[in-house]
């Protein structure tokens, strides 16, 4: 059975998407094997939209597990027709269920909650505050800001276990990356949602927040345009001769930008109350998702998908 998730070029990875191979290969080692057998397992991410049938065109059956519906920068647009080719075990939240016009009983929570059963998140705290930017806006500039403030910096392109460790070693996480908040909540780390750009999709945040019983109230911050020559996200490292000539000017500009966002961070941590779902809700959702996983494994064992593997 093939695993379908968002992959990036040039060896880049984004934390939420990179959770897929890390998590599912541990939970389903005898099922997820990247063999094209007519069955596709659709994992963590906002993957259910009109592009899914096209991107999984060889699949006779699509297993949906903890996945979200939606598009970047929008809510519904058009959704795929849910026919017999879809086996939905769970969805990210009630907005996904509504978009797909399926039962609310399938709206459990994001599948990444199962990381609680795979990673020891009871670690000594190293940082009072840490920040994880959205992948598209990450970069060394943010790392420098965090260092100046004494914050931990969680690069969304770092190896999965490194990011998980840093989240668990943090007392309060500020995050623009939704899966930063999802894992913080799963690890019982209070979190503050940050929004630096209008392209951040509220719909998927609201979908997940409704599933865990909290309200999505993002704190707006200035967009930090990364200085040229830095790495992270989609930043490039090539500099022209003109860039080098203007480097001192850009250093002053970047210093000013750092001062601005440092001031905003300082105000946020002093005035904004962090969010955290209730302990019993988190444990209940974890158990429900585990039950769905066991149901899926039982269905595989009973041959529910065998007919497709023989095609």
């Amino acid at each position: 059975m093939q695993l379908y998730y968002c992959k990036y070029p040039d060896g880049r990875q984004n934390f939420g998407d990179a959770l897929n191979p890390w998590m599912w290969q541990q939970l389903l080692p005898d099922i997820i094997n990247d063999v094209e057998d007519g069955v596709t397992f659709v994992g963590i991410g906002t993957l259910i939209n009109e592009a899914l049938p096209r991107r999984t065109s060889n699949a006779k059956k699509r297993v949906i597990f903890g996945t979200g519906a939606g598009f970047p920068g929008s809510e519904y647009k058009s959704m795929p027709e849910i026919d017999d080719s879809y086996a939905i075990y769970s969805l990210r939240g009630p907005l996904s269920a509504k978009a797909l016009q399926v039962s609310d009983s399938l709206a459990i929570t994001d599948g990444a909650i199962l990381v609680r059963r795979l990673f020891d998140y009871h670690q000594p705290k190293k940082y009072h505050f840490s920040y994880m930017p959205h992948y598209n806006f990450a970069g060394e500039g943010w790392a420098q800001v965090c260092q100046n403030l004494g914050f931990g910096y969680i690069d969304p392109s770092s190896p999965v276990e490194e990011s998980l460790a840093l989240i668990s070693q943090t007392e309060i996480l500020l995050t623009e990356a939704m899966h930063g908040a999802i894992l913080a909540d799963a690890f019982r780390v209070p979190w503050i949602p940050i929004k630096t750009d209008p392209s951040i999709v509220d719909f998927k945040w609201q979908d997940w927040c409704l599933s865990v019983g909290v309200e999505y109230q993002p704190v707006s911050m200035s967009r930090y345009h990364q200085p040229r020559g830095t790495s992270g996200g989609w930043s490039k490292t090539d500099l022209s001769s003109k860039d080098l000539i203007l480097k001192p000017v850009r250093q002053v500009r970047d210093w000013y930008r750092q001062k601005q966002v440092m001031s905003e961070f300082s105000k946020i941590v002093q005035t904004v109350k962090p969010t955290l779902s209730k302990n019993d809700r988190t444990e209940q959702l974890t158990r429900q998702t585990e039950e769905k996983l066991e149901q899926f494994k039982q269905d595989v064992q009973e041959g529910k998908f065998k007919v497709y593997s023989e095609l």
Side-chain angles (χ1 to χ4, degrees):
M1 189 177 298
Q2 286 188 309
L3 174 63
Y4 173 74
Y5 64 101
C6 183
K7 299 178 182 178
Y8 293 80
D10 304 324
R12 300 171 186 264
Q13 69 172 21
N14 176 28
F15 175 63
D17 304 308
L19 285 169
N20 279 286
W22 183 87
M23 188 178 84
W24 297 119
Q25 287 169 9
Q26 293 184 71
L27 293 171
L28 302 169
D30 299 323
I31 297 174
I32 302 298
N33 51 24
D34 207 29
V35 174
E36 189 172 334
D37 58 2
V39 185
T40 296
F41 187 96
V42 183
I44 299 166
T46 308
L47 302 173
I48 309 174
N49 49 50
E50 64 182 6
L52 180 60
R54 181 180 74 253
R55 292 174 177 171
T56 58
S57 59
N58 292 330
K60 303 299 182 182
K61 197 76 170 180
R62 300 173 181 90
V63 176
I64 307 296
F65 201 104
T67 317
F71 288 76
S74 66
E75 294 188 357
Y76 301 141
K77 286 191 177 178
S78 61
M79 290 290 128
E81 180 183 353
I82 302 303
D83 54 24
D84 291 343
S85 70
Y86 290 84
I88 302 178
Y89 287 85
S90 66
L91 294 166
R92 175 184 287 158
L95 298 186
S96 288
K98 181 179 179 181
L100 298 174
Q101 301 180 42
V102 298
S103 172
D104 284 345
S105 65
L106 296 172
I108 300 176
T109 195
D110 193 284
I113 198 170
L114 292 177
V115 175
R116 300 182 77 226
R117 301 302 198 228
L118 300 173
F119 187 83
D120 181 10
Y121 56 90
H122 300 97
Q123 299 192 21
K125 302 299 183 182
K126 292 184 178 180
Y127 303 102
H128 187 41
F129 299 105
S130 290
Y131 178 58
M132 177 183 275
H134 187 282
Y135 177 77
N136 286 341
F137 312 126
E140 293 170 4
W142 278 122
Q144 185 62 54
V145 167
C146 289
Q147 181 178 335
N148 292 343
L149 286 169
F151 287 12
Y153 175 67
I154 306 176
D155 186 338
S157 65
S158 295
V160 167
E161 291 197 12
E162 179 180 324
S163 296
L164 294 176
L166 287 170
I167 292 172
S168 65
Q169 293 162 4
T170 296
E171 292 180 356
I172 298 174
L173 178 68
L174 292 84
T175 179
E176 191 170 42
M178 186 184 69
H179 277 91
I182 290 173
L183 269 299
D185 202 81
F187 290 176
R188 305 287 76 206
V189 174
W191 48 277
I192 298 174
I194 302 296
K195 187 172 184 178
T196 69
D197 192 273
S199 64
I200 301 300
V201 183
D202 290 348
F203 176 82
K204 66 180 186 179
W205 275 89
Q206 292 164 349
D207 191 26
W208 169 69
C209 283
L210 286 169
S211 78
V212 297
V214 301
E215 188 174 353
Y216 176 51
Q217 295 181 313
V219 181
S220 295
M221 276 187 64
S222 300
R223 166 84 180 275
Y224 183 16
H225 295 270
Q226 295 295 322
R228 293 197 181 191
T230 65
S231 61
W234 297 109
S235 301
K236 303 297 183 182
T237 58
D238 53 323
L239 291 174
S240 67
S241 59
K242 183 179 179 181
D243 292 324
L244 293 172
I245 293 172
L246 295 177
K247 187 175 180 181
V249 176
R250 289 202 170 98
Q251 285 180 331
V252 173
R253 182 191 60 192
D254 295 335
W255 174 85
Y256 176 78
R257 288 173 175 170
Q258 288 186 15
K259 288 293 185 181
Q260 182 181 9
V261 295
M262 286 170 62
S263 176
E264 292 182 54
F265 265 153
S266 297
K267 183 178 180 180
I268 288 169
V269 299
Q270 292 173 25
T271 60
V272 178
K273 182 180 179 181
T275 299
L276 188 66
S277 67
K278 293 182 179 179
N279 289 337
D280 57 352
R281 179 74 169 257
T282 299
E283 185 58 36
Q284 176 192 4
L285 292 173
T286 305
R287 288 198 303 269
Q288 283 183 266
T289 306
E290 286 180 310
E291 289 169 2
K292 289 291 185 178
L293 188 67
E294 289 305 313
Q295 179 186 337
F296 167 64
K297 291 161 68 175
Q298 184 66 29
D299 289 342
V300 171
Q301 186 175 356
E302 292 178 358
K304 182 175 180 178
F305 304 104
K306 187 175 181 181
V307 60
Y308 298 99
S309 65
E310 293 175 349
L311 296 179

